[in-house]
Amino acid sequence: MQRVNLSTASEFVFVGLSDAPEIRLLLFVLFLIIYLATMAGNITLLAAIGTDSHLHSPMYFFLGNLSLLDLLCPTVTVPKMLGALLLEHKEISFSGCLFQHFSLIAVVGTEIFLLTVMAYDRYMAVCHPLRYPSIMSMKLCAQLAVGTWATGLLNSLLHTSLVFTLSFCGPNKIQQYYCDIPPVLAVSSSSTYSRELVILVVAGVLGSSACVVTVVSYIYILLEILARNSPGIWHKAFSTCGSHLTVVCLFYGTTICTYVRPSSTYSPQWDRVVSMLYGMLTPLLNPIIYSLRNKEVKCALKRVISQVRRAV
């Protein structure tokens, strides 16, 4: 029986951050501000959705799940990165790297499936407004949400098992500030071709399926708008779907640039820029995008902020 290759490396070292002390301090302050702003924005949005009865609907239920994912995504990677910048502690244990990798892929995968469910929800709201309350019941919404989280976890379990059963006997320096698929594969001492092929196939099937559902949903929405051709229909449809469509384009664009390609094209400098976009800026921008384009959310946020001020 063939033995499974196990890693002999007990830890990995992140080398994706600057060694210049003045640059490290500047990056630490910048990333800390972005992280705190992301936490504040998504927690405030979650509080508004949870406390305002006007936002107790399927659309905002899924938006609350998206905010929770946007809280988890930077929390998986940013605290370790801040510690490396401030304390120069760039090492991470093998088990810590495995956990970070599993958590990040689970969050990213879940967000892809959740955005797909949100596209279907917008299709039902625009194309079947009279049947929408009966079809998109809270029971169905809960089942869809649980399904997205379960699929994201199972997808991450598969990817993590494929990556971390490789051998890591050579250099243990990861050209990134967290444990992601491309940089971890790059430091493996064994052949990664078959694993990469499986990862690309699985990611391609799941990702393309989610993308097809999203695109088809918006095609039906567009056809419905053109068929009605009533005054103000474009403005109403844009206010209903504009925020979600903007988030989808931003998230899919950065994710595809990072994952849908072979490791032979891996560029540490380019990947660090892209990973900043989907790992830090996207979770920061999502609550801003939804609050700026949605009057109900803006009113709810104002009420939450006023309540906090009175409490303080």
Side-chain angles (χ1 to χ4, degrees), residues 117-129 132 213 216-221 224 240-241:
V117 170
M118 293 175 74
Y120 174 75
D121 173 70
R122 294 300 81 206
Y123 155 73
M124 294 300 302
V126 174
C127 299
H128 303 282
Y132 177 75
V213 172
V216 170
S217 297
Y218 275 101
I219 289 175
Y220 274 106
I221 290 173
E224 181 70 17
T240 303
C241 306

Side-chain angles (χ1 to χ4, degrees), residues 26 51 86 132 157 217 248 260 291 303:
L26 179 63
T51 58
L86 187 63
Y132 177 75
L157 182 62
S217 297
V248 166
V260 187
S291 60
R303 285 191 286 268

